[in-house]
């Protein structure tokens, strides 16, 4: 039985806004031996749906020489994709002619894994005017030519995408070199700072969260909300966002706390930790990654434990939402978790991958890395039908796209 899986990796700009994705692809052993552009695009268009998978963004998709020269390429709607030429595609007369044809028809073109040196610049000089993007591999490029050639590329109106940006240092290097976009999960890697301290707003959120999770009188919690005006305003926005539907008008913070409940409010407060990165109704990739993790944690747990209770689902949610909190605080994760009232199951799942929640959390990280071997092993170990996790991943992508839209905001 053949299993096909599609993933996506975020590409962001210098303002930390999500601007595109790269489509990742895995399939049968036969497919793995080559890039099957037609299969990828067919799955995006027909199996998943472009808007459900990509939202309103275009996605980079790798194409080889065979696919580039096949006339089927003209049947693909160009508004969804950026065709990224593999570095193995030769700049032959036929290839250059095809690139010119695609350019004239309005398709966006890129070059994949572009290693900057004197030879590559000469090789691609013939098509530079037809390219919209170049994905530069900074690590393998010659440092002698790097900055100069990036500047030259940009004079052609080309957006330079730094590929394989793995951490904040690599991001800073790429940014200093003049790159415009950055691909990778570097934004989720914490930059640990010595003597880091919580911001006042973060302290307030943690205090409110701990009060909610303890057996504290609702009046005391309401008073704490009322003296934290910014948090209270955002709570009211959350209530009015359409997430809740109450029969009666809300009359007070006490009323809100009573109607919503402690666990949903605790979950919302944890998302508040990431809210400083949210401006003008736009959620940063880190916020969207947190949302994706919580969706995956809960939905995978529901598949493994169909009769799972709300308490355990709440714990699954907290594993997802707390797993990236060190990135926001700039502090060691274990130190932060020691300040928060959470169960040992949640703490051990995050720090040690232990228990069923830890097993799911390990799977979630494998999904982000697109480690299909781990995904398949998880399905096999838990006697799940092949493709079960793929369906959950796709639904999570769709939910994250909806979460990102301003009219559905929860902050």
């Amino acid at each position: 039985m053949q299993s096909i899986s599609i993933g996506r990796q975020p590409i962001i700009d210098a303002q930390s806004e999500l601007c595109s994705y790269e489509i990742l692809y895995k399939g049968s052993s036969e497919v793995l031996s080559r890039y099957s552009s037609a299969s990828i695009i067919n799955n995006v268009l027909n199996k998943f749906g472009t808007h459900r998978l990509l939202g309103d963004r275009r996605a980079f998709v790798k194409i080889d020489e065979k696919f580039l020269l096949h006339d089927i390429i003209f049947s693909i709607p160009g508004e969804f994709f950026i065709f990224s030429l593999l570095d193995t595609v030769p700049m032959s007369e036929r290839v250059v002619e095809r690139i010119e044809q695609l350019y004239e028809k309005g398709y966006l073109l890129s070059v994949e894994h572009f290693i900057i040196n004197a030879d590559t610049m000469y090789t691609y000089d013939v098509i530079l005017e037809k390219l919209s993007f170049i994905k530069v591999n900074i690590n393998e490029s010659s440092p002698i030519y790097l900055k100069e050639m990036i500047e030259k590329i940009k004079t052609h109106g080309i957006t330079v995408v730094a590929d394989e940006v793995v951490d904040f240092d690599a991001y800073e290097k790429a940014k200093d070199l003049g790159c415009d976009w950055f691909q990778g999960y570097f934004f989720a890697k914490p930059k640990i700072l010595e003597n880091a301290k919580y911001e006042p707003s973060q302290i307030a959120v943690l205090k409110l969260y701990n009060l909610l999770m303890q057996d504290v009188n609702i009046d005391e919690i309401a008073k704490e909300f009322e003296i934290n005006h910014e948090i209270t305003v955002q709570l009211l926005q959350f209530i009015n966002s359409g997430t809740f539907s109450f029969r009666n008008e809300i009359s007070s913070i006490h009323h809100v706390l009573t109607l919503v409940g402690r666990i949903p409010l605790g979950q919302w407060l944890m998302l508040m930790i990431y809210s400083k990165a949210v401006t003008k109704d736009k959620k940063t990739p880190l916020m969207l990654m947190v949302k994706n993790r919580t969706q995956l944690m809960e939905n995978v747990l529901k598949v493994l434990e169909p009769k799972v209770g709300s308490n355990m689902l709440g714990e699954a949610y907290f594993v997802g939402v707390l797993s990236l909190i060190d990135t926001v605080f700039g502090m060691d994760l274990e130190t932060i978790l020691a300040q928060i009232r959470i169960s040992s199951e949640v703490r051990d799942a995050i720090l040690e991958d232990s228990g069923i929640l830890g097993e799911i959390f390990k799977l979630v990280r494998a999904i982000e890395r697109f480690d299909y071997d781990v995904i398949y092993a998880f399905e096999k170990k838990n006697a799940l039908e092949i493709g079960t996790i793929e369906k959950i991943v796709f639904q999570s992508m769709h939910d994250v796209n909806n979460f990102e839209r301003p009219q559905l905001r929860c902050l």
Side-chain angles (χ1 to χ4, degrees):
M1 186 180 204
Q2 183 177 349
S3 175
I4 296 173
S5 184
I6 285 181
R8 63 185 190 185
Q9 188 170 55
I11 300 175
I12 73 172
D13 62 18
Q15 286 71 50
S16 297
E17 290 191 9
L18 181 63
C19 44
S20 186
Y21 292 106
E22 177 175 336
I23 295 296
L24 306 175
Y25 177 84
K26 292 275 185 172
S28 65
S29 57
E30 174 190 358
V31 177
L32 286 172
S33 64
R34 58 187 172 89
Y35 289 92
S36 290
S37 307
S39 296
I40 300 172
I41 294 169
N42 178 66
N43 275 280
V44 173
L45 290 173
N46 301 318
K47 182 177 180 180
F48 299 103
T50 53
H51 290 298
R52 297 191 71 193
L53 183 64
L54 305 176
D56 297 324
R57 298 180 176 85
R58 294 178 191 251
F60 286 81
V61 59
K62 299 182 181 76
I63 62 171
D64 57 14
E65 181 184 13
K66 184 177 180 180
F67 183 75
L68 174 68
L69 296 177
H70 199 292
D71 286 342
I72 195 175
I73 197 169
F74 294 115
S75 67
I76 295 167
E79 65 265 30
F80 303 123
F81 302 104
I82 300 164
F83 294 138
S84 194
L85 307 177
L86 293 174
D87 56 348
T88 56
V89 177
M91 290 298 104
S92 65
E93 186 175 337
R94 288 186 66 201
V95 165
V96 172
E97 181 183 3
R98 176 51 55 91
I99 289 171
E100 290 175 347
Q101 291 170 345
L102 290 169
Y103 175 79
E104 291 298 325
K105 289 181 178 293
Y107 286 91
L108 299 188
L109 301 168
S110 176
V111 173
E112 191 76 20
H113 197 71
F114 191 91
I115 299 175
I116 291 181
N117 54 49
D119 293 335
T120 52
M121 292 303 298
Y122 177 78
T123 299
Y124 290 102
D125 187 65
V126 67
I127 64 166
L128 281 181
E129 296 294 338
K130 306 297 185 293
L131 298 176
S132 297
F133 302 89
I134 285 182
K135 298 178 74 175
V136 176
N137 187 308
I138 291 173
N139 297 326
E140 296 183 30
S141 293
S142 169
I144 300 174
Y145 299 100
L146 202 49
K147 191 172 182 64
E148 176 188 348
M149 293 305 178
I150 286 177
E151 290 175 356
K152 180 181 177 181
I153 290 169
K154 294 177 70 171
T155 63
H156 293 272
I158 296 171
T159 298
V160 178
V161 184
D163 199 6
E164 299 181 15
V165 182
V166 296
D167 55 33
F168 191 80
D169 289 339
Y171 165 71
E172 286 293 319
K173 177 182 177 182
K175 196 173 179 180
D176 289 342
L177 288 168
C179 294
D180 304 295
W181 290 5
F182 313 88
Q183 179 174 347
Y185 283 111
F186 69 92
F187 56 81
K189 301 291 179 66
K191 188 177 182 182
I192 304 300
L193 307 172
E194 291 185 11
N195 302 317
K197 296 180 180 180
Y198 301 149
E199 293 183 4
S201 61
Q202 293 173 329
I203 295 173
V205 170
L206 289 178
K207 183 176 180 181
L208 284 167
Y209 171 74
N210 283 334
L211 287 174
L212 283 168
M213 294 300 105
Q214 298 174 43
D215 190 20
V216 174
N217 186 280
I218 197 76
D219 293 329
E220 184 178 342
I221 299 174
K223 287 179 181 178
E224 193 65 33
F225 266 96
E226 288 168 358
I227 64 175
N228 288 280
H229 305 295
E230 182 182 353
I231 296 173
T232 300
V233 169
Q234 294 196 54
L235 173 59
L236 294 176
Q237 289 177 342
F238 171 55
I239 295 301
N240 292 318
S241 67
T243 305
F244 294 93
S245 179
F246 299 124
R247 299 177 64 180
N248 301 316
E249 292 184 358
I250 302 298
S251 59
S252 66
I253 290 298
H254 189 290
H255 194 189
V256 170
L257 299 178
T258 302
L259 291 174
V260 176
R262 293 180 182 237
I263 291 179
L265 277 179
Q267 294 178 342
W268 173 77
L269 280 170
M270 284 295 99
L271 278 181
M272 277 284 296
I273 293 293
Y274 300 88
S275 68
K276 71 175 186 177
V278 182
T279 57
K280 297 180 181 178
D281 290 326
K282 292 183 179 179
K283 299 176 176 65
T284 66
L286 183 63
M287 184 74 159
L288 298 178
M289 190 174 181
V290 170
K291 175 63 176 175
N292 192 56
R293 283 190 173 187
T294 60
Q295 290 289 126
L296 290 172
M297 289 294 305
E298 290 180 325
N299 291 334
V300 173
L301 179 59
K302 288 176 184 177
V303 168
L304 297 184
E305 302 283 346
K307 296 182 179 180
V308 65
S310 60
N311 286 343
M312 192 169 183
L313 280 173
E315 290 186 333
Y317 175 95
F318 281 124
V319 170
V321 82
L322 291 173
S323 63
L324 290 167
I325 202 170
D326 53 340
T327 301
V328 176
F329 279 53
M331 297 178 67
D332 180 73
L333 184 57
E334 191 168 358
T335 301
I336 299 170
L337 294 183
Q339 308 300 316
I340 306 175
R341 187 180 178 88
I342 55 175
S343 68
S344 59
E345 287 79 9
V346 170
R347 183 178 289 103
D348 292 345
I350 296 172
L351 298 178
E352 301 176 12
D353 287 342
S354 66
I356 185 172
L357 296 179
E359 187 177 347
I360 298 173
F361 181 44
K362 186 176 181 179
L363 170 70
V364 169
R365 302 198 307 277
I367 291 169
E368 292 169 353
R369 297 192 308 271
F370 208 60
D371 190 336
Y372 198 72
D373 291 337
V374 173
I375 297 169
Y376 176 73
F378 183 92
E379 288 180 331
K380 185 175 181 180
K381 177 182 177 181
N382 291 282
L384 300 177
E385 183 179 345
I386 293 176
T388 297
I389 300 302
E390 179 189 54
K391 293 176 182 177
I392 294 173
V393 169
F394 171 59
Q395 183 59 49
S396 296
M397 289 180 186
H398 177 53
D399 291 342
V400 169
N401 288 339
N402 285 338
F403 173 73
E404 187 183 6
R405 292 176 184 140
Q407 65 269 28
L408 294 180
R409 73 178 188 272
C410 67
L411 290 180

